[in-house]
Structures are given as structure tokens and as C-alpha cells.
Amino acid sequence: MTEPVVLISALEHFVYCERQCALIHGDGVWMDNAHTVRGSHAHRRVDSGLHRRERGVLTLRSIPLWSETLGLSGRADTVEFNEGAVYPVEHKSGVRHGKAADLQVCAQAMCLEEMMHVDIPVAYVWYGGPRRRAKVLLDHQLRTDVIETVESVRAQLLSGELPAAPNDARCEECQLEPHCLPSATATATRIAALTSEALLL
Ligand code: SF4
């Protein structure tokens, strides 16, 4: 079987909720909610593809990325060229949520390194909530986390399995909640587990 190429965006979905990743990247489900609409609105400028040069920094927008080595593809919101350095800048409309954005921008940098034969030791994530840019050190641990997450997403896609719903606080913020029905599926999973236990007695 051909190994599926993993989309960089799948890493963020997988880290947020493995079931969300399977629904979006395995089953092709997509729904918008207030968070995704706000994100799309905030992305209009980076999605425009218009490039600019300002104070010596060349900024390219909406750049396609891929890595043959990792079996990964996607798109960088922006890539900056600044005094001989090149690095991606990921744009988020809200505030930092764990390490998901760090993984995403590290994956983008690893693709750029392979495509351009450069070393990229740092990248950045711009958060629209505080309107601040956070520096992300692309160290060995973060790169290892990217590789392991790509492998986990690929294994999930190959298995075709849909993980059980965690049915926790994440579901309140999730755009797929109306499709996923986490409380109903979590109950069904619990009943199935109890039934299996009873049959083994
Ligand atoms: S509603 Fe909850 S369980 Fe379902 S995909 Fe979203 S976060 Fe995951």
C-alpha cells in the first residue's frame, strides 16, 4: 500500500484530538465554527499570496512546502528572508494552546530545510490575541516530536480507525462537535466496553 502523505495541518489536529484528526484527514469531514471563521478572517492577508519587502526583510506569503523524507506537505503562512536567514512564521488568530503551533512551524521549517538546503534553527508564531510574535527554538526534542507525530498520523490514516471521543473540555471548542456527537459516542464506547467485560466473566 502506498504510504499516505501527511498534511502539516494534520499535526495540529492530531495533537488537539486524535479523533478530530481522523475525522478531518481520514473521513474528509469539515465544519466551521466561530473559531475557524475568525481564523480564516485573520488569515486573509497571508492567504493573499502578496509578497512584500520592508526594512530589509523579504516576506513571501502562502508558500507550498513538502518533504520527501518525512512524507509531509502543506503551506507556510509566511516565509521571511532576513540578513541571510530564512524561517517560517505561522499566524494564529488567538492565543497559544500548548505546543501545537510549535510542532506545525517546526514541520514547516524541516520542509524548507530539505527544499532549500539550509539550516533553520529558529522560527516564529504570531498570535493575534496578544498581537505578539513568539520565538520557537527548533531543537532536537521538537524535531523528534514532529517526526513521531507524522508517523502517528500516518499510522492512523493507514488503519482507517476512528478513535473514541475523549468527551472533555476540548469538545466545547471543537468545530466538529455537531458531527462528532462526543457525549453519545463516548457513552456507546463505554457500553461496548462494559458488554465485553460482562461476556468475559
Ligand atoms: S468533538 Fe471532541 S471528541 Fe469530537 S473531534 Fe472534537 S474534540 Fe475530538
Side-chain angles (χ1 to χ4, degrees):
M1 183 186 289
T2 310
E3 296 274 286
V5 172
V6 172
L7 294 180
I8 294 173
S9 61
L11 307 186
E12 183 178 21
H13 297 139
F14 188 86
V15 169
Y16 185 77
C17 169
E18 294 182 17
R19 183 176 171 87
Q20 187 196 67
C21 182
L23 287 169
I24 293 173
H25 299 276
D27 295 356
V29 177
W30 183 258
M31 301 176 82
D32 277 313
N33 67 2
H35 297 298
T36 58
V37 169
R38 196 180 310 127
S40 300
H41 185 76
H43 260 86
R44 278 181 311 171
R45 197 156 69 123
V46 293
D47 289 342
S48 71
L50 295 175
H51 310 320
R52 74 167 183 195
R53 185 183 289 277
E54 198 172 330
R55 278 175 277 183
V57 180
L58 173 64
T59 302
L60 306 184
R61 295 194 171 101
S62 198
I63 300 301
L65 302 172
W66 65 90
S67 163
E68 300 283 347
T69 308
L70 295 171
L72 194 60
S73 78
R75 195 169 282 274
D77 289 338
T78 57
V79 176
E80 293 187 357
F81 296 78
N82 184 5
E83 296 182 350
V86 53
Y87 47 83
V89 182
E90 171 69 12
H91 291 243
K92 297 294 181 196
S93 59
V95 297
R96 179 180 166 86
H97 291 290
K99 66 174 187 181
D102 295 358
L103 273 184
Q104 208 175 347
V105 82
C106 184
Q108 293 169 5
M110 290 167 79
C111 289
L112 274 174
E113 287 179 329
E114 188 173 319
M115 292 165 63
M116 301 180 65
H117 307 289
V118 293
D119 291 325
I120 306 179
V122 295
Y124 297 87
V125 181
W126 190 89
Y127 291 102
R131 300 191 64 75
R132 280 185 47 210
R133 178 184 280 206
K135 186 176 182 177
V136 181
L137 186 61
L138 309 181
D139 59 15
H140 177 73
Q141 184 58 58
L142 186 57
R143 290 168 184 268
T144 302
D145 290 346
V146 167
I147 292 167
E148 290 178 354
T149 308
V150 171
E151 288 171 356
S152 297
V153 172
R154 182 171 294 116
Q156 184 189 70
L157 293 174
L158 283 168
S159 77
E161 289 176 6
L162 186 60
N167 191 28
D168 58 21
R170 287 171 286 180
C171 303
E172 293 169 21
E173 307 289 320
C174 176
Q175 76 266 33
L176 297 190
E177 196 276 340
H179 175 89
C180 173
L181 300 174
S183 56
T185 53
T187 302
T189 304
R190 180 77 185 127
I191 290 171
L194 288 172
T195 305
S196 302
E197 275 177 33
L199 290 173
L200 289 172
L201 289 177

